[in-house]
């Protein structure tokens, strides 16, 4: 092996990073509480629960990255005494704190919904008076997949919202954005400052969890350069190395940033088959200091998450052109355990594939039949 990259986390994102690293003779190691994790098939896992786990992990690799955005900063600080982490600590710290993230978006003139910091019931009341209802109350730290959120629609929910989220510490109250669609932009920045951006993904959620992404997002030609500009500002400002994701709302006033993830992202899984170079390979290339690959779309692609229950592998593979990615995770309600990539020739073929998929998936989620590509 030419190089070893140590990755904080050992879930499916780490697994797919390591799959992309192997052909480049790059080995991955992982740091994860559960050593029986999805990445374990691809490289050694150092247990975050073991006494010397962190120091053994730090000794195991040349350079480091992450697939888990809540990687403890204390661990990063131990690591960076002697080794390098890409992306930078600052990007991680900001992404772990919604208020800091919003402040950065403001600083870089990236539009966001009006918001207020909330640390008391009184502040919540004054935020509601100032921003109006409905508003979305979120914990500043620790939320994911819509967890740690409360949509406040009427004054009489104020006490309930505060009772549910107040104990979680600092909160953020955001104006409710009336959006037509949710999209994400993913980009990679190399060690020489090169930036490459994939096409916008249009993301569909079910119960707060990503159900499927369509790439390129339909009718997004005018949105692409704007989103590209926003993410490039972030990458350059943070002196970022690796893959960064920015989730955005499409509104009649243009794009509003929702949040960023300092890592490869579920809405970029399409790129394994759908782009010349995937988010995983380009992330590895960036972290290893190698030239970046083309992010061009090979074919319009739909990525469908497998959530909760496994379909029969043979049923999925019988679908024309479908690719199946299983993460070696056990079934559990609401858990992402795999994904399917569809590469139809046109919208009619996509409709037909979605109909077949709806019969195959035990949990067909929000797959609608009128998708277009
Ligand atoms: P988040 O955890 O911030 O990604 O939010 C999860 C989901 O909640 C988003 O994908 C949106 O569908 C919805 N959401 C979050 N913030 C807002 C907002 N300010 N207005 C309307 N919907 C929101």
């Amino acid at each position: 092996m030419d190089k070893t990259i140590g990755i904080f986390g050992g879930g499916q994102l780490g697994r797919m990073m390591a799959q992309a690293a192997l052909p480049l003779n790059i080995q991955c190691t992982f740091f994860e509480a559960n050593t029986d994790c999805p990445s374990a098939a691809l490289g050694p896992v150092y247990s975050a629960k073991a006494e010397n786990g962190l120091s053994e992990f730090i000794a195991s690799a040349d350079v480091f990255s992450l697939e888990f955005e809540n990687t403890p900063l204390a661990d990063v600080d131990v690591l960076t005494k002697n080794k390098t982490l890409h992306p930078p600590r600052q990007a991680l710290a900001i992404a772990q704190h919604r208020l800091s993230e919003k402040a950065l978006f403001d600083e870089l003139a990236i539009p966001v919904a009006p918001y207020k910091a909330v640390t008391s019931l009184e502040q919540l009341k004054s935020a509601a008076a100032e921003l109006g209802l409905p508003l979305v109350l979120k914990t500043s730290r620790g939320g994911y997949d819509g967890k740690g959120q409360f949509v406040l629609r009427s004054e009489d929910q104020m006490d309930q919202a505060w009772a549910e989220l107040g104990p979680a510490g600092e909160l953020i109250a955001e104006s409710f954005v009336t959006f037509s669609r949710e999209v994400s932009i993913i980009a990679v920045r190399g060690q020489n400052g090169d930036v490459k951006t994939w096409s916008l993904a249009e993301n569909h959620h079910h119960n707060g969890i990503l159900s499927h992404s369509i790439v390129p997002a339909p009718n997004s030609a005018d949105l692409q350069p704007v989103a590209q500009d926003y993410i490039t500002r972030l990458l350059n400002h943070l002196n970022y190395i690796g893959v960064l994701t920015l989730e955005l709302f499409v509104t009649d006033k243009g794009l509003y940033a929702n949040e960023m993830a300092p890592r490869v992202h579920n809405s970029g899984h399409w790129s394994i088959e759908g782009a010349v170079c995937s988010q995983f390979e380009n992330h590895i290339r960036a972290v290893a200091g190698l030239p970046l690959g083309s992010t061009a779309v090979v074919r319009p692609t739909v990525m469908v998450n497998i959530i909760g229950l496994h379909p029969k592998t043979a049923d999925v593979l019988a679908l024309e052109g479908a690719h199946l990615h299983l993460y070696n995770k056990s079934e559990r309600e609401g858990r992402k355990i795999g994904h399917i990539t569809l590469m139809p020739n046109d919208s009619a073929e996509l409709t037909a594939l979605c109909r077949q998929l709806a019969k195959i998936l035990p949990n067909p989620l929000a797959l609608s039949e009128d998708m277009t590509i």
Side-chain angles (χ1 to χ4, degrees):
M1 287 289 172
D2 295 343
K3 201 166 225 159
T4 303
I5 298 179
I7 295 172
F8 282 102
Q12 63 266 22
L13 301 180
R15 178 179 169 103
M16 289 184 272
M17 277 184 204
Q19 283 175 316
L22 273 180
L24 306 178
N25 253 1
I26 294 173
Q27 173 73 52
C28 291
T29 65
F30 305 93
F31 186 59
E32 162 75 53
N34 168 22
T35 52
D36 183 25
C37 56
S39 301
L42 277 295
V45 182
Y46 295 88
S47 173
K49 286 190 197 141
E51 200 183 329
N52 297 322
L54 182 60
S55 53
E56 286 173 12
F57 170 64
I58 292 171
S60 76
D62 307 304
V63 61
F64 291 78
S65 188
L66 55 99
E67 61 104 76
F68 176 52
E69 76 197 62
N70 285 317
T71 297
L73 295 174
D75 290 353
V76 169
D77 291 337
V78 176
L79 170 87
T80 51
K81 282 189 189 131
N82 301 306
K83 300 261 173 105
T84 306
L85 176 78
H86 300 307
R89 180 195 195 278
Q90 191 200 0
L92 186 63
I94 291 173
Q96 288 180 359
H97 191 251
R98 283 188 195 272
L99 281 162
S100 312
E101 197 173 81
K102 288 280 199 280
L104 176 63
F105 293 157
D106 283 341
E107 186 186 339
L108 300 178
I110 298 171
V112 294
Y115 67 92
K116 287 277 180 200
V118 167
T119 50
S120 67
L121 181 56
E122 287 63 45
Q123 279 181 356
L124 176 59
K125 287 180 180 162
S126 64
E130 193 174 321
L131 303 173
L133 295 180
L135 55 80
V136 186
L137 192 63
K138 301 178 179 178
T139 56
S140 195
R141 290 189 190 279
Y144 70 98
D145 283 350
K147 293 186 177 70
Q149 292 195 14
F150 193 106
V151 181
L152 201 74
R153 295 186 187 280
S154 72
E155 303 268 343
D156 55 18
Q157 289 178 300
M158 210 76 83
D159 290 330
Q160 189 197 347
W162 179 251
E164 275 185 31
L165 296 188
E170 250 182 324
L171 305 180
I172 177 169
E174 291 175 15
S175 284
F176 189 88
V177 180
T178 313
F179 55 82
S180 55
R181 300 189 280 163
E182 293 187 76
V183 294
S184 55
I185 187 101
I186 304 181
V188 60
R189 187 169 178 277
Q191 293 190 13
N192 59 1
D194 264 4
V195 171
K196 286 184 185 279
T197 315
W198 284 269
S199 288
L200 275 166
E202 179 180 295
N203 300 323
H204 296 259
H205 298 86
H206 183 74
N207 294 337
I209 301 171
L210 183 70
S211 151
H212 57 280
S213 298
I214 307 171
V215 188
N219 308 315
S220 61
D222 53 338
L223 303 176
Q224 180 75 28
V226 180
Q228 220 159 289
D229 176 32
Y230 293 162
I231 200 162
T232 305
R233 285 182 212 173
L234 287 165
L235 288 167
N236 289 336
H237 175 85
L238 293 165
N239 201 12
Y240 196 99
I241 291 164
V243 165
L244 176 71
T245 305
L246 180 64
E247 295 181 25
L248 301 145
F249 299 127
V250 182
T251 78
D252 54 12
K253 294 195 196 89
L255 290 172
Y256 278 24
N258 178 28
E259 61 178 356
M260 67 179 199
R263 54 170 172 79
V264 292
H265 194 259
N266 193 173
S267 65
H269 292 0
W270 68 276
S271 63
I272 297 175
E273 290 90 9
V276 174
C277 193
S278 75
Q279 61 166 350
F280 300 104
E281 181 173 341
N282 260 339
H283 183 71
I284 292 292
R285 289 191 192 201
V287 173
L290 296 168
L292 303 180
S294 162
T295 49
V297 172
V298 178
R299 289 261 296 274
T301 305
V302 177
M303 186 286 314
V304 180
N305 272 336
I306 300 172
I307 297 177
L309 297 167
H310 288 109
K312 289 200 179 75
T313 294
D315 286 350
V316 176
L317 299 185
L319 293 178
E320 186 66 30
H323 293 268
L324 176 63
H325 297 259
L326 297 174
Y327 308 151
N328 196 25
K329 286 166 85 169
S330 55
E331 297 181 335
R332 192 202 299 155
E333 200 188 328
R335 193 179 207 198
K336 292 170 184 169
I337 54 179
H339 74 266
I340 297 165
T341 315
L342 303 174
M343 304 179 83
N345 286 308
D346 51 35
S347 298
E349 210 175 293
L350 175 60
T351 303
L353 281 169
C354 286
R355 266 186 207 151
Q356 288 170 284
L357 205 52
K359 288 187 203 140
I360 290 169
L361 285 177
N363 224 344
L365 303 171
L367 266 187
S368 78
E369 281 197 4
D370 54 3
M371 282 197 270
T372 51
I373 51 163

